[in-house]
């Protein structure tokens, strides 16, 4: 009988804890972040202790609020901070109840609230990551569609409106060659190593060229378009020898690129010319680096590459950064 009473007492304390979190002080807006996170903590406790509560919620319901906040642009650290504030409130409530309840009940309540914190932290973090992956994938698809239109010269204005990506009047046009990583040559690992190499290249391009740069790349290379307009002039973004060197170090292979610039309507022509030059440079076994097309009216296949002061990786077996592929 004593054990049954103790169990009943423990359940009563847990129920009080959940009610304390679910019903905050008067005057707090029902849609307030702190209110919602406290309610999510209460939901998590009910889900973790279904024998105590009548209708435990599905964990997906807890993640749903995190997805909403991610879409609203609320930072993950703000959400997690609100959850931790709720935990502190719950622990303070347990401490206040310590005089009326046994220590075993307080310990059980504290254990439940810590497990609830783990649940909501994992659910919120996972939801944020998945939502940002989805947004990034949608942006990447839109950007690739737009760059395809720029390369063909058709439907640019309509796609720009549909995607919400602004189009510059002038672009740097860059043709890039990416040699195979040594790990791509290993039996059974080529495709995976190639995808990882490409992700490293894309990540390395993002910071120096900004989010408005457009690229259409495969594991072997492709085309990059860097906007030149009043917006980018405030924070100059450009493909340079230094940028190419940084990307080569990230890719762990030496990249070769050819570059020119021109108005938007000439992009299809310029792309053909820089890729033609890139093909001639590769056929001539010229060293990796950035080759500018200074004058489209001249044959510049013998131009030397622009190089930064530091060394550029010249062998796929000599990596500037020892990250795995």
């Amino acid at each position: 009988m004593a054990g049954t009473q103790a169990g009943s007492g423990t359940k009563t304390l847990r129920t009080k804890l959940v009610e304390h979190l679910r019903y905050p002080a008067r005057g707090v807006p029902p849609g307030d972040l702190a209110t919602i996170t406290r309610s999510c903590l209460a939901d998590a406790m009910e889900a973790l202790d279904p024998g105590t509560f009548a209708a435990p919620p599905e964990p997906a319901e807890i993640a749903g609020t995190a997805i909403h906040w991610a879409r609203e642009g609320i930072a993950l650290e703000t959400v997690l901070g609100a959850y931790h504030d709720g935990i502190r409130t719950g622990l303070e409530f347990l401490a206040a109840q310590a005089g009326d309840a046994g220590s075993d009940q307080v310990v059980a309540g504290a254990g439940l609230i810590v497990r609830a914190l783990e649940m909501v932290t994992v659910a919120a973090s996972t939801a944020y990551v998945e939502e940002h992956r989805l947004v990034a994938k949608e942006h990447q698809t839109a950007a690739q569609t737009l760059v395809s239109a720029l390369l063909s010269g058709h439907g640019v204005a309509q796609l720009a409106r549909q995607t919400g990506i602004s189009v510059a009047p002038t672009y740097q046009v860059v043709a890039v060659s990416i040699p195979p990583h040594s790990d791509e040559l290993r039996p059974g690992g080529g495709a995976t190593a190639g995808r990882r190499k490409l992700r490293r290249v894309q990540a390395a391009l993002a910071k120096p060229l900004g989010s408005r740069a457009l690229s259409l790349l495969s594991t072997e290379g492709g085309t990059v378009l860097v906007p030149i307009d009043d917006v980018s002039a405030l924070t100059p973004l450009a493909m340079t020898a230094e940028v190419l060197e940084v990307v080569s170090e990230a890719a762990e292979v030496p990249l070769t690129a050819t570059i020119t610039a021109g108005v938007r309507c000439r992009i299809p022509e310029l792309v053909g010319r820089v890729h033609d030059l890139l093909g001639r440079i590769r056929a001539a076994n010229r060293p990796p680096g950035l080759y500018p097309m200074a004058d489209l009216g001249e044959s510049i296949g013998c131009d030397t590459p622009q190089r930064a002061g530091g060394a550029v990786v010249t062998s796929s077996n000599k990596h500037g950064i020892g990250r795995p592929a």
Side-chain angles (χ1 to χ4, degrees), residues 5 14 22 28 51-52 145 177 195 206 248 261 271:
Q5 291 176 346
R14 293 179 186 179
R22 195 179 295 284
V28 179
T52 303
T145 303
S177 174
R195 286 193 298 269
S248 294
V271 167

Side-chain angles (χ1 to χ4, degrees), residues 63-105:
T65 58
I67 294 174
H68 171 74
W69 288 325
R71 290 173 180 171
E72 291 294 319
I74 299 176
L76 177 58
E77 55 265 31
T78 301
V79 174
L80 295 181
Y83 274 125
H84 283 84
D85 286 340
I87 290 297
R88 281 190 288 271
T89 298
L91 293 175
E92 289 170 358
F93 174 81
L94 290 176
Q97 299 294 314
D100 299 327
S103 59
D104 58 333
Q105 299 176 36

Side-chain angles (χ1 to χ4, degrees), residues 37-198:
T37 51
R38 285 175 56 148
S39 180
C40 286
L41 283 170
D43 287 345
M45 291 180 197
E46 292 181 348
L48 289 166
D49 195 7
T52 303
F53 306 101
E58 293 294 327
E61 296 177 15
I62 300 172
T65 58
I67 294 174
H68 171 74
W69 288 325
R71 290 173 180 171
E72 291 294 319
I74 299 176
L76 177 58
E77 55 265 31
T78 301
V79 174
L80 295 181
Y83 274 125
H84 283 84
D85 286 340
I87 290 297
R88 281 190 288 271
T89 298
L91 293 175
E92 289 170 358
F93 174 81
L94 290 176
Q97 299 294 314
D100 299 327
S103 59
D104 58 333
Q105 299 176 36
V106 175
V107 170
L112 180 61
I113 200 170
V114 170
R115 289 165 59 205
L117 175 62
E118 180 182 9
M119 172 184 280
V120 295
T121 299
V122 171
S125 300
T126 301
Y128 263 75
V129 170
E130 291 303 321
E131 180 64 19
H132 282 290
R133 281 178 178 172
L134 178 61
V135 170
K137 185 176 181 180
E138 290 174 350
H139 178 78
Q140 183 181 25
T141 301
Q144 289 179 343
T145 303
L146 181 57
V147 74
S148 296
L150 286 166
L151 296 180
S152 68
H154 301 292
V156 175
Q158 180 180 356
L159 281 171
R161 289 192 298 269
Q162 292 175 350
T163 61
I165 301 174
S166 60
V167 179
T170 307
Y171 282 86
Q172 277 190 322
V173 181
V174 188
V176 181
S177 174
I178 309 174
H181 190 279
S182 58
D183 288 348
E184 293 180 76
L185 306 178
R186 296 175 183 173
T192 300
R195 286 193 298 269
R196 291 176 177 173
K197 176 190 69 177
L198 180 58

Side-chain angles (χ1 to χ4, degrees), residues 236-252:
L237 306 171
M239 173 63 76
T240 64
E242 291 80 3
V243 169
L244 190 66
E245 181 177 339
V246 169
V247 178
S248 294
E249 291 179 350
E252 300 176 1

